[in-house]
Amino acid sequence: MTAIAADAGPQWVNDLMDALGAPGAGLAIALENLFPPLPSEVILPLAGFAASSGRMSLLAVLLWTTAGSVVGALALYGVGALLGRDRTVAIASRLPLVKVSDIERTEAWFLRHGTKAVFFGRMIPIFRSLISVPAGVERMRLPVFLGLTTLGSAIWNTAFVLAGYLLGANWHQVSDIVSTYSKVVLAVAAVAVAAFIAVRLIRRPEAAPHPHEEDQDTRVLRRPLLPPEAPAGSAPRQGHPGRGAP
């Protein structure tokens, strides 16, 4: 196979595709799922460019990259399944500012919207990998997980591979556009995390004052008002006030 130009993308991706062809592109995408900082928006259009140059079949690229996405997602699903709900709650409860109720709300949300999250999450940078972990924790039915992951990955991968295929040597224009999209997603996530921390710090309950630290006025105000006690040995008053006993 003719070597892909060294300046046409990450060298390690070029080396994989030069050595293995389309399966090399699939392996690169599987690694991208396991290590989200690796850019699928670079790997996929580069593979499309390689197909347009006749170095590999376009259909093979689409099949192998989708298979790589599913394999990587399945590995992260297994990590979530091994952790399980109890371990996940125990770990999260030890994190600062995180409450068990936060985990329970997240779990309830995933039970209601998990299928949509797995499908559409495959098209959001960073989250496209991480969404597989809660799916494993919640033990989403494996056929459902695999079907949604395959469909979502096929859509995402096909769009980028075809863009690289059609743009040819200008495939890097796709990466430039999606790089902006990725930065926007990361910025929104960072703002959401910052807002969560700020709200949690503001709502943190203050420690109750020690009883001995309360001032005299506070203790007097909190003391219940009782009726005056009658002198010892006296009979209780009866009848109309001021009228003597018969």
Side-chain angles (χ1 to χ4, degrees):
M1 178 181 296
T2 305
I4 301 173
D7 60 349
Q11 185 59 45
W12 68 274
V13 178
N14 290 325
D15 293 341
L16 277 176
M17 290 193 293
D18 284 340
L20 303 176
L27 178 58
I29 290 298
L31 293 173
E32 179 268 338
N33 276 264
L34 296 174
F35 304 100
L38 297 178
S40 68
E41 61 269 21
V42 173
I43 299 170
L44 292 169
L46 177 57
F49 166 55
S52 71
S53 303
R55 298 182 177 99
M56 59 188 75
S57 163
L58 176 61
L59 179 59
V61 170
L62 294 174
L63 293 176
W64 278 104
T65 54
T66 300
S69 295
V70 173
V71 169
L74 189 59
L76 291 176
Y77 177 95
V79 170
L82 287 174
L83 277 176
R85 182 183 183 278
D86 293 341
R87 284 194 187 125
T88 302
V89 171
I91 293 171
S93 64
R94 293 189 180 95
L95 298 176
L97 305 178
V98 176
K99 300 178 181 178
V100 174
S101 58
D102 297 328
I103 308 302
E104 292 173 344
R105 282 195 295 269
T106 303
E107 181 182 29
W109 180 90
F110 191 85
L111 290 175
R112 290 195 303 271
H113 307 289
T115 54
K116 294 188 288 290
V118 170
F119 175 72
F120 291 107
R122 302 303 307 171
M123 306 173 200
I124 302 175
I126 303 297
F127 297 98
R128 63 192 306 269
S129 297
L130 299 180
I131 195 61
S132 301
V133 177
V137 170
E138 296 300 329
R139 298 297 179 94
M140 174 181 282
R141 290 194 303 123
L142 197 54
V144 174
F145 174 78
L146 289 176
L148 293 169
T149 299
T150 300
L151 183 57
S153 299
I155 294 173
W156 174 269
N157 294 356
T158 299
F160 281 89
V161 170
L162 287 181
Y165 184 86
L166 295 175
L167 288 173
N170 295 320
W171 66 269
H172 54 82
Q173 293 179 2
V174 182
S175 301
D176 296 340
I177 295 173
V178 180
S179 177
T180 302
Y181 170 52
S182 300
K183 290 176 182 176
V184 171
V185 171
L186 291 175
V188 171
V191 169
V193 171
F196 170 81
I197 294 173
V199 170
R200 187 52 52 86
L201 288 175
I202 292 172
R203 292 182 178 178
R204 176 181 287 180
E206 298 180 0
H210 192 276
H212 296 296
E213 295 176 358
E214 294 180 343
D215 56 25
Q216 184 69 22
D217 293 338
T218 303
R219 289 198 294 271
V220 170
L221 289 173
R222 290 185 178 180
R223 183 179 301 158
L225 299 177
L226 300 175
E229 297 181 358
S234 62
R237 288 177 170 271
Q238 298 180 357
H240 191 277
R243 181 180 298 176

